[in-house]
Amino acid sequence: MKRSPRPYAALLGLVLLAATSASESAAGDGPGPLGVTVVARATSGAARVGALFDADDADDAAGAGGFAGAHFCTASVVHSPHRDLLVTAAHCLAGQGALVFVPGYRDGKAPYGVWSVRRDFLPDGWGEGRDEDSDVAFAVAGEVGGRRVEDVVGAGRFVTRTDVGATDVTVTGYPDSRETPLTCTNRPRRLSRTQQRIDCPDFSGGTSGSPWVNGYGEVVGVLGGHEEGGATDDVSYSVVLGAEAAALYREASSDPRGGQERRWTV
């Protein structure tokens, strides 16, 4: 399971990533050396990806001087008419209380602000039986200073019904044992008709919800699905985004008052 088992980071056993500065530069922007995981550079694309925090834990961490150690999942901004939509894994949102999203989170800091998660949209397949083929969800972010999150960091396009493995994808996410995001580019493969997999090392707990972005800036996968993202750090999964994901996106992007309300504001 690639979600952190609790909202605090497991600070033991940090992975030392052996990568040259050249490979880091390439993979940080994607595409880069295939199957190499490095620390993501602070680019405009990486700013659209952020860490999810329990709101109370975020408050406690911020009061101690930073957010370090409190994140538990990953989410990213996707384009919508209301410019306030996030995508993540359903198992990251199900059963959770008040949450906040910190795009571009790095080293305990929130360079683009802290955004409350106001509403969430989970597919029926997940709500009815935690179906691994339904492990995708959307959330509506509140405003900060009268601005919406997409206007601040931009957004990827959420695209369904793409051919698995047609292009390389770049996966970017936040392991709960690190305070910087990791990124890896590789070509996904089919696990089954409804699931896809990618070989990228060191994507451990906390990376659930990480977007799979192709070279056109399109989100074509979300880390989750089979085994809630994978039982090992080196292989990750995503639902093959199809009709259910497309319908959920239409619902979430067209009606910001729908879904499940979360009562918390920044």
Side-chain angles (χ1 to χ4, degrees):
M1 184 172 73
K2 299 296 179 74
R3 169 189 162 177
S4 170
R6 58 187 186 280
Y8 296 102
L11 297 179
L12 299 178
L14 294 179
V15 177
L16 296 177
L17 298 172
T20 65
S21 59
S23 66
E24 178 174 339
S25 175
D29 288 327
L34 298 184
V36 176
T37 297
V38 297
V39 174
R41 297 192 303 142
T43 64
S44 58
R48 302 170 184 175
V49 184
L52 286 174
F53 295 75
D54 176 274
D56 291 335
D57 294 322
D59 278 346
D60 292 343
F67 290 96
H71 56 91
F72 71 96
C73 258
T74 302
S76 65
V77 185
V78 290
H79 175 66
S80 68
H82 300 282
R83 308 182 70 79
D84 57 3
L85 197 62
L86 315 176
V87 68
T88 186
H91 73 265
C92 287
L93 299 182
Q96 294 295 312
L99 302 176
V100 297
F101 171 67
V102 183
Y105 173 76
R106 193 173 293 262
D107 295 324
K109 296 180 171 54
Y112 303 101
V114 179
W115 304 77
S116 61
V117 174
R118 297 293 183 87
R119 313 191 75 84
D120 60 46
F121 296 77
L122 276 70
D124 291 340
W126 186 265
E128 293 170 358
R130 297 179 69 91
D131 184 350
E132 68 176 20
D133 294 336
S134 299
D135 196 7
V136 177
F138 295 94
V140 174
E143 296 183 359
V144 173
R147 304 180 72 189
R148 298 184 179 182
V149 65
E150 185 175 339
D151 296 323
V152 175
V153 299
R157 289 182 58 226
F158 185 78
V159 177
T160 61
R161 299 184 177 91
T162 59
D163 291 333
V164 174
T167 65
D168 299 337
V169 301
T170 298
V171 184
T172 304
Y174 287 85
D176 60 11
S177 59
R178 302 184 62 89
E179 299 306 311
T180 52
L182 299 182
T183 192
C184 171
T185 299
N186 211 341
R187 183 154 297 196
R189 294 180 289 150
R190 276 193 180 272
L191 176 70
S192 67
R193 181 180 61 83
T194 56
Q195 296 284 328
Q196 55 185 319
R197 58 169 284 170
I198 194 168
D199 296 335
C200 280
D202 304 319
F203 274 74
S204 56
T207 57
S208 285
S210 300
W212 297 22
V213 181
N214 66 16
Y216 303 103
E218 298 169 338
V219 177
V220 296
V222 177
L223 201 156
H226 182 59
E227 297 175 335
E228 295 191 357
T232 68
D233 295 350
D234 296 340
V235 179
S236 298
Y237 301 94
S238 166
V239 174
V240 175
L241 302 178
E244 184 180 48
L248 189 66
Y249 169 76
R250 288 194 297 270
E251 178 187 359
S253 60
S254 63
D255 185 5
R257 296 170 297 177
Q260 176 66 43
E261 183 177 3
R262 291 179 179 271
R263 299 182 179 278
W264 193 84
T265 57
V266 176

